[in-house]
Amino acid sequence: QVQLVESGGALVQPGGSLRLSCAASRSISKINSMGWYRQPPGKERELVATITSGGTTNFADSVNGRFTISRDSAKNTLNLQMNSLKPEDTAVYYCNAIWGSLKYWGQGTQVTVSS
């Protein structure tokens, strides 16, 4: 089992940057895939970015070139660096981990992009 705890959400102005972190309760070195999803107000949860244990990344078209995902096996954390933020990036951001056949979620962290 894996517990995931997100942090770093905040209110930021358009064009600003923010870094989200997700702390895992166990070593992430053998977790097949980890990722970030988000749920904008009134909408369904959507993929933001994923990264495999081998370092292969995948990004939603809407964030490609602005967001970077990374995993730190020494600290058992997953990070999301978000640059050039837009109002449409406003959402609750969730950390996700796929370990074997099981999928785990964090509780989410709010990101609000507004002037």
Side-chain angles (χ1 to χ4, degrees):
Q1 191 171 0
V2 181
Q3 280 81 45
L4 304 170
V5 180
E6 302 96 335
S7 62
L11 170 64
V12 62
Q13 293 187 343
S17 297
L18 207 56
R19 184 178 178 85
L20 304 183
S21 291
C22 171
S25 61
R26 60 169 297 136
S27 172
I28 66 171
S29 61
K30 295 184 178 180
I31 295 178
N32 310 63
S33 177
M34 300 187 74
W36 289 95
Y37 289 71
R38 67 186 182 188
Q39 187 164 13
K43 297 184 179 181
E44 295 186 352
R45 193 173 298 188
E46 62 186 22
L47 169 73
V48 176
T50 61
I51 183 169
T52 68
S53 56
T56 300
T57 59
N58 178 55
F59 295 91
D61 290 343
S62 59
V63 307
N64 198 19
R66 299 188 297 122
F67 290 11
T68 302
I69 188 170
S70 62
R71 50 195 288 171
D72 187 336
S73 295
K75 297 181 179 180
N76 296 325
T77 58
L78 176 73
N79 302 302
L80 184 70
Q81 178 65 42
M82 305 186 293
N83 298 326
S84 302
L85 283 163
K86 304 175 181 180
E88 50 263 45
D89 294 318
T90 294
V92 178
Y93 283 70
Y94 296 92
C95 177
N96 166 271
I98 299 175
W99 187 34
S101 61
L102 300 177
K103 185 177 289 187
Y104 299 92
W105 295 93
Q107 83 289 348
T109 186
Q110 177 70 47
V111 172
T112 302
V113 184
S114 176
S115 55

